[in-house]
Amino acid sequence: MRVLVAEDEEILAELVATGLRRAGFAVDTVYSGDAALAYLGLHDYDVVVLDRDLPRVHGDDVARRLVASGSRTRILMLTAAGSMEDRVAGLDLGADDYMGKPFEFPELVSRVRALRRRSARPVPPQLERHGIRLDTVRRAASREGRELDLSPKEFSVLQLLLEADGGTVSAEELLERAWDANADPFTGAVRVCMSKLRGKLGEPALIRTVQGVGYAL
C-alpha cells in the first residue's frame, strides 16, 4: 500500500514511482541512502524498493539498519549487478527479494504486491464484507454484484476499511497509509475522499463516522 523508492537515478526513480502509483500504491521517492533512512524512520512503509548503489549511505547499509531495527518493511533490492553472487549477497543482507537492472516493470509491480502480501499485515487476494467484494490483485471492487468505478485513492481507502474488519480507522492512519508524504493533513483530503466513496457505494450507507475517532465499515 505504501512504498518508498530509493534510487539515485532521479529519472528512473520517478518513472518507477509513477508506475507504482498507477498500480494503486502511495509512493515516496528519495535519491540517497541517508534520505532513505530518514523517511523509513518517519513513515510506516510496506515495501522499500532499494537501489543497492546509493550515495552517502550505501544501500547495503540501509538494508542492514532496517533489518536490525526489527522493521516490518519488506525490502526489494535493485542493482545493475545481476550475478548469482550479487543476488546471494543482497539476500544475505536481509533483502526479501532482488531484481537486476534493467527490469520489466510489470514484474516489479507484481513483486511489490507479493511482498505486501508477505508483510506483517498480510492481505488476502479477496476482501468481502457487507456485500462489498474487493479483488486486491485485479484492483476491482463491487457491491452486491454491481461494479464500482473507484479511483486508486478510493480503492485504497476502502481496502483499509475492509482490512480493519469492522474496526475504526483514524483519519491519521488513512493519511499515513493511502497518501504519500506530500499530503497536507489540513486539506481535508480524507473527508473529501470519504464523501466521494460513500456516494459511489450507494444506499444503504455502509461507512459510518465514529466521532472524534475515525471511520468504520
Side-chain angles (χ1 to χ4, degrees), residues 93-193:
L93 286 167
D96 299 281
D97 200 356
Y98 194 99
M99 289 186 71
K101 299 177 184 176
F103 52 83
E104 295 295 330
F105 195 78
E107 181 182 2
L108 175 67
V109 172
S110 180
R111 290 195 184 203
V112 170
R113 283 186 178 139
L115 289 178
R116 167 70 167 95
R117 291 194 294 272
R118 286 167 49 195
S119 71
R121 37 174 183 262
V123 179
Q126 299 268 351
L127 292 167
E128 294 187 50
R129 188 178 180 85
H130 298 313
I132 295 177
R133 174 175 291 181
L134 216 68
D135 186 324
T136 62
V137 177
R138 291 177 49 244
R139 303 288 295 177
S142 63
R143 179 179 183 182
E144 306 293 353
R146 174 175 62 88
E147 293 297 318
L148 300 172
D149 183 19
L150 304 181
S151 71
K153 199 67 66 184
E154 291 159 358
F155 188 98
S156 296
V157 168
L158 183 57
Q159 180 175 334
L160 289 167
L161 292 172
L162 285 166
E163 286 178 22
D165 198 24
T168 303
V169 184
S170 69
E172 290 78 14
E173 182 177 356
L174 289 171
L175 267 177
E176 171 69 21
R177 300 289 309 286
W179 276 262
D180 60 29
N182 295 316
D184 185 345
F186 301 107
T187 60
V190 173
R191 177 176 49 78
V192 171
C193 181

Side-chain angles (χ1 to χ4, degrees), residues 41-89:
L42 285 172
H43 304 290
D44 186 15
Y45 292 100
D46 296 288
V47 178
V48 55
V49 179
L50 181 66
D51 180 41
R52 196 167 182 185
D53 297 314
L54 289 173
R56 293 202 285 275
V57 177
H58 197 273
D60 289 0
D61 292 323
V62 174
R64 287 191 189 96
R65 295 189 202 182
L66 192 59
V67 171
S69 71
S71 172
R72 60 186 179 182
T73 300
R74 298 295 186 179
I75 303 170
L76 172 56
M77 190 170 277
L78 299 178
T79 183
S83 70
M84 183 270 289
E85 290 80 6
D86 290 308
R87 291 196 298 273
V88 170

